[in-house]
Amino acid sequence: MSIQPSLTTGQMMAQPLLISDLIEYAAQHFGKQQIISKRLEGDIHRYGYQDALLRSKRLANALTALGVEQGDRIGTLAWNGYRHFECYYGISGMGAICHTINPRLFSEQIEYIIQHAEDSYLFVDACFLSILEPIADRLISVKGIIVMIDEDQMPNTSLVNVINYEQLLSEHSEDYLWPQLEPSTAACLCYTSGTTGNPKGVLYSHQSTVLHAFASRNPDALNIASDTIVMPVVPMYHVCAWGLPYIAPMSGATLVLPGDGMGGEDLYRLIDHAKVDLMLGVPTVWLGLIEYLKQHGLSIPSVKTVGVGGAASPKILVETLDKDYGIYLLPIWGMTETSPLATLGSANKQLLALPEDERYALQSSAGKPMFGIEIEIFDEETNTKLAHDGEARGLLRVRGPWVLKSYYKSDKTDCFVKDQEGNTWFDTGDIATIDAHSYLRIVDRAKDVVKSGGEWISSIDLENAAQGCEGVVEACVIGVKHIKWDERPLLFIVRDKGIESQAERLDKEAVYQFLTDKIAKWWMPDDIIFVDQLPHTATGKLQKRTLRDEYWNYLVDND
Ligand code: ADP
């Protein structure tokens, strides 16, 4: 007699959502669709998803032969390229955890991260071996280092147990059956940049990664289809290149990987070569590309959309991309803790029909949440939800199936907060507004907002205003100590080095003049300091803490 299933349980197949399914799907249905990589060896490499699948399977066999077991952490220190892509699939697909390490972190942080994750093998681009050489003795969990370069170009190194990637793959079969893992199995580990304290690990699961990819490719999100040619200019060592190595195979899209070529000239060449139509990255990358295009009178007609996140999109960037290049700036908000995509401002008909100024304003917001992500702003004192009126500013909290519920091997709990209905939210550390149409606007990081006489001045808004002044390459605002107002804003400016004549060079007076009708009078910075360069974090964001430490007493001392 057959056993009847419970009538309250859905009667559908419990097919787990696994990372290996993404590459299997792409290989089977879009096998010839290409992954185009700028190699560190100098040339351009092209192959199809079918080739990528077979090499990922070789890698999975190689890892098994090396004794890697499910749940083991395997580190990568690498740029965006096809071998790194194979690591994403070979490692996670066989049930181990792909731990992407940001090579731009300080040496002590890299050492800390590898020790904390207890990585057993490291897959490394040859150019990053010099990072490991001085710290190798202290990386006791690491059993071997696999160098991702052609066999005949293996560099000399003082490291031991070094294996060439191509040699390793050639020794193993491309026959491999992916294990049917539980969907909650850990797949990938990324550490936050650690602007305060040690970096913290965020451990994504197979299911959270696939759901994030499902949501992110939708028309009102990144709008990726099988004929999209997409290039992540955000590195694969930073929050999985915002999910693109998963989203592209799920969509059968062409994936373009720029290697270490994140500068203006390299980007231009690759865009032109591969006819890229969608790119993603932080604002500074695009400022660099635009500078190069302007200097050389070039254009990039294939590009339709540039997705910008990681920091606020300055209005001037929205306007330049639109007016000078016919490109839509797609604003994005997210963080390592949210996989990272959470809110986006897509180019829908309603938005495109708005008067230019209103449209630009929305394009420099952080967009609207994707299905699956809930966002709310909370009052710090009362823990109540604030109005979505575009005015009320509160602590931004998020929840959803690709938002973390705890940090990896950490007892930090203060950022997980219950609301009055008992739901748990992740407190992002951002202060934001949400308007009646659900557009999110990040006012500031809670620790960066300038607290002047009990009111908040958004350092981001001030920077955006200053950024619009001709001759300004980069602007940064911090709050510094003030006897009467507690804190007042101090503006740092990097001037355009191309303007050499003293008479044409930007001075304080010109900046103040420019800002007069752009910001409230009480927001006016108390001083403006011209600097040659500004400090940045490993992910290219302004390192405000360094400036705050140095200039905290500046106004008090110069009073
Ligand atoms: P990502 O991981 O991609 O840079 P991090 O975890 O390093 O993310 O930093 C996330 C923080 O970056 C956010 O909490 C927010 O302060 C800032 N950020 C990201 N996107 C935006 C945006 N569109 N506007 C303003 N700030 C942003």
Side-chain angles (χ1 to χ4, degrees):
M1 203 177 72
S2 68
I3 298 170
Q4 282 296 312
S6 144
L7 294 180
T8 53
T9 307
Q11 296 179 357
M12 309 307 282
M13 293 185 184
Q15 199 85 3
L17 297 173
L18 299 179
I19 285 177
S20 52
D21 296 331
L22 300 174
I23 190 73
E24 283 286 350
Y25 173 82
Q28 193 177 342
H29 304 291
F30 298 95
K32 297 271 182 274
Q33 198 71 293
Q34 297 220 305
I35 298 176
I36 304 171
S37 309
K38 180 183 170 285
R39 302 202 318 154
L40 301 177
E41 287 89 335
D43 54 347
I44 302 281
H45 175 275
R46 286 171 174 264
Y47 71 177
Y49 281 121
Q50 175 65 20
D51 306 303
L53 169 72
L54 296 180
R55 281 172 55 93
S56 304
K57 288 186 165 185
R58 282 181 190 270
L59 176 56
N61 277 322
L63 291 168
T64 310
L66 287 170
V68 172
E69 293 184 2
Q70 290 186 7
D72 286 356
R73 274 78 55 215
I74 308 293
T76 66
L77 260 169
W79 289 109
N80 296 10
Y82 63 104
R83 293 178 178 125
H84 203 179
F85 180 89
E86 291 156 11
C87 291
Y88 271 41
Y89 286 91
I91 297 170
S92 302
M94 62 92 63
I97 299 171
C98 181
H99 168 208
T100 53
I101 304 163
N102 183 341
R104 290 197 189 144
L105 293 174
F106 301 123
S107 174
E108 304 85 69
Q109 288 178 318
I110 292 178
E111 182 179 331
Y112 169 84
I113 285 175
I114 296 174
Q115 285 171 348
H116 188 260
E118 299 174 274
D119 294 323
S120 58
Y121 286 92
L122 299 174
F123 284 73
V124 184
D125 276 343
C127 56
F128 295 134
L129 288 175
S130 55
I131 294 178
L132 295 176
E133 283 159 354
I135 58 174
D137 286 351
R138 296 189 290 278
L139 305 178
I140 47 173
S141 61
V142 177
K143 298 180 195 153
I145 291 163
I146 295 97
V147 185
M148 296 198 284
I149 195 164
D150 286 350
E151 221 175 323
D152 60 0
Q153 295 196 29
M154 275 295 276
N156 288 327
T157 172
S158 59
L159 294 166
V160 293
N161 297 332
V162 172
I163 307 169
N164 176 266
Y165 182 82
E166 293 301 332
Q167 189 190 349
L168 181 69
L169 289 204
S170 69
E171 289 166 358
H172 294 277
S173 153
E174 55 192 34
D175 286 332
Y176 182 82
L177 215 52
W178 303 111
Q180 285 303 291
L181 307 163
E182 283 297 314
S184 58
T185 306
C188 190
L189 177 62
C190 294
Y191 282 74
T192 60
S193 322
T195 36
T196 47
N198 272 327
K200 298 182 288 293
V202 182
L203 187 60
Y204 311 115
S205 68
H206 282 256
Q207 176 164 283
S208 74
T209 305
V210 176
L211 287 176
H212 175 260
F214 261 128
S216 303
R217 64 173 291 239
N218 280 325
D220 265 323
L222 296 176
N223 191 17
I224 296 185
S226 55
D227 59 357
T228 307
I229 304 176
V230 57
M231 175 157 81
V233 183
V234 50
M236 287 171 72
Y237 56 71
H238 184 53
V239 217
C240 304
W242 296 357
L244 283 175
Y246 307 113
I247 303 165
M250 172 184 271
S251 315
T254 303
L255 182 64
V256 183
L257 301 173
D260 62 349
M262 308 272 184
E265 182 173 358
D266 283 327
L267 286 179
Y268 168 73
R269 282 171 191 251
L270 195 56
I271 293 165
D272 190 48
H273 173 85
K275 302 288 175 264
V276 172
D277 50 26
L278 168 67
M279 313 193 279
L280 300 194
V282 295
T284 38
V285 167
W286 311 121
L287 296 173
L289 175 63
I290 290 171
E291 200 180 342
Y292 178 80
L293 296 177
K294 295 239 144 127
Q295 271 169 8
H296 296 83
L298 298 167
S299 63
I300 41 174
S302 64
V303 180
K304 303 285 176 291
T305 309
V306 165
V308 183
S313 302
K315 215 163 162 187
I316 185 77
L317 184 59
V318 178
E319 190 170 342
T320 307
L321 286 175
D322 183 38
K323 291 206 166 128
D324 299 351
Y325 301 97
I327 294 173
Y328 182 80
L329 185 150
L330 174 73
I332 299 173
W333 175 85
M335 51 200 310
T336 308
E337 288 86 341
T338 63
S339 293
L341 304 185
T343 67
L344 300 100
S346 68
N348 56 35
K349 284 183 200 149
Q350 257 172 335
L351 182 137
L352 293 176
L354 289 171
E356 198 175 83
D357 244 24
E358 286 176 42
R359 173 157 69 86
Y360 287 167
L362 285 186
Q363 284 184 259
S364 49
S365 79
K368 297 165 73 139
M370 307 192 265
F371 171 76
I373 293 287
E374 288 176 65
I375 57 171
E376 278 297 348
I377 42 174
F378 286 79
D379 182 88
E380 191 173 2
E381 303 290 312
T382 60
N383 192 31
T384 47
K385 293 175 191 166
L386 294 171
H388 293 189
D389 59 6
E391 296 291 329
R393 299 161 158 207
L395 305 175
L396 175 63
R397 295 179 183 158
V398 290
R399 47 197 253 113
W402 53 91
V403 176
L404 90 168
K405 67 173 182 202
S406 54
Y407 286 101
Y408 182 63
K409 291 206 286 187
S410 157
D411 47 18
K412 183 175 170 60
T413 51
D414 55 346
C415 48
F416 303 100
V417 189
K418 273 203 184 351
D419 65 15
Q420 293 180 343
E421 288 93 51
N423 296 317
T424 302
W425 297 77
F426 170 66
D427 192 290
T428 64
D430 284 340
I431 293 167
T433 62
I434 301 176
D435 75 12
H437 303 285
S438 291
Y439 278 94
L440 171 72
R441 193 171 289 279
I442 306 296
V443 174
D444 224 333
R445 295 292 290 169
K447 59 184 187 311
D448 291 341
V449 76
V450 183
K451 296 163 195 89
S452 173
E455 299 277 355
W456 285 345
I457 300 174
S458 158
S459 67
I460 295 184
D461 285 354
L462 254 183
E463 283 156 11
N464 271 342
Q467 199 85 46
C469 180
E470 208 172 323
V472 172
V473 170
E474 197 173 16
C476 173
V477 169
I478 56 166
V480 295
K481 188 172 171 187
H482 190 278
I483 300 297
K484 181 166 174 203
W485 302 109
D486 291 339
E487 279 182 27
R488 287 296 302 158
L490 199 57
L491 169 62
F492 294 83
I493 285 179
V494 178
R495 278 186 283 219
D496 184 349
K497 296 195 180 62
I499 303 172
E500 278 164 15
S501 112
Q502 195 62 36
E504 286 174 38
R505 262 182 118 194
L506 194 63
D507 57 16
K508 278 191 204 181
E509 207 181 318
V511 179
Y512 276 126
Q513 181 73 32
F514 175 82
L515 291 175
T516 312
D517 57 353
K518 314 263 175 333
I519 56 171
K521 210 165 159 199
W522 64 278
W523 281 37
M524 204 53 93
D526 280 34
D527 203 354
I528 300 174
I529 300 173
F530 293 101
V531 288
D532 285 339
Q533 57 183 35
L534 286 162
H536 291 96
T537 67
T539 49
K541 298 184 195 191
L542 288 165
Q543 175 69 272
K544 297 196 179 181
R545 195 176 48 160
T546 319
L547 287 173
R548 258 195 305 265
D549 287 349
E550 192 176 337
Y551 286 90
W552 178 244
N553 286 311
Y554 177 86
L555 292 178
V556 181
D557 293 346
N558 291 289
D559 201 10

